[in-house]
Amino acid sequence: MGLKGRLISQIEMKCSGHLLYEHFKSNPHKTSVMSPDKITNFTIHEGQLGKANSVVSWNFILGGKERHVKQVLHIDNEKKSITFNFNEGYMNELYKSMALTLTAEENFITWTLVYEKLNENTPEPLNFMEFLIGLIKDLETHHVGK
């Protein structure tokens, strides 16, 4: 089995996918209020909200433990997508590289997770994809009807 992989999950929303794109672009610091059992902290280290190449970090609960990741953001307003390039933290302990892209289209959100494992014993990041799906469902409830 290879070391490189791609996981994709597309979820139909009860609200506009663009609302969730805007949330992650401009208001990610509010995520812990909307999903406190998953996100415990968001910090911007360099740049500013809504701007490409900003450096951010998240603390989140995965597998019953608090984890930390630091990412560099690439924002494409035309395609309504945000790519989170992991450069420090928990995921970098398991994966040589990882990039997560959120894309909004009409009432759909697509998560695309591209990764390279450190070795063949590293598991596929299925638990992280499940976490992301749950996170989107939590955020959806706050945006329905808006």
Side-chain angles (χ1 to χ4, degrees):
M1 196 171 247
L3 296 178
K4 294 181 180 182
R6 178 185 313 252
L7 297 175
I8 300 170
S9 179
Q10 188 173 63
I11 307 148
E12 184 176 21
M13 310 303 298
K14 295 175 185 168
C15 64
S16 169
H18 295 168
L19 286 173
L20 295 176
Y21 164 78
E22 286 297 330
H23 170 85
F24 280 100
K25 177 183 161 192
S26 304
N27 297 302
H29 56 285
K30 295 181 179 179
T31 307
S32 62
V33 174
M34 297 177 185
S35 188
D37 63 321
K38 293 179 182 66
I39 303 294
T40 59
N41 189 45
F42 170 84
T43 304
I44 186 158
H45 298 277
E46 296 176 27
Q48 55 185 311
L49 293 177
K51 301 294 182 189
N53 298 317
S54 293
V55 178
V56 303
S57 66
W58 301 83
N59 287 19
F60 59 98
I61 306 297
L62 184 66
K65 296 180 181 176
E66 186 168 34
R67 311 292 188 181
H68 172 83
V69 294
K70 198 171 193 180
Q71 305 162 321
V72 178
L73 305 182
H74 174 74
I75 298 171
D76 188 330
N77 287 311
E78 203 170 297
K79 292 182 180 178
K80 299 289 187 224
S81 73
I82 303 171
T83 299
F84 304 84
N85 292 299
F86 292 72
N87 65 359
E88 185 180 300
Y90 176 69
M91 294 307 194
N92 296 83
E93 294 170 13
L94 299 173
Y95 302 93
K96 184 175 180 178
S97 64
M98 181 176 278
L100 172 67
T101 301
L102 175 142
T103 306
E105 297 176 74
E106 298 175 8
N107 282 26
F108 288 91
I109 287 290
T110 303
W111 286 118
T112 304
L113 186 60
V114 178
Y115 58 92
E116 182 176 356
K117 299 188 287 185
L118 286 175
N119 58 58
E120 290 185 13
N121 296 324
T122 302
E124 307 301 324
L126 298 173
N127 63 342
F128 187 56
M129 182 59 84
E130 185 178 319
F131 165 87
L132 295 168
I133 293 167
L135 177 62
I136 283 295
K137 288 180 180 182
D138 287 351
L139 298 180
E140 174 188 42
T141 62
H142 290 272
H143 292 286
V144 170
K146 294 182 181 176

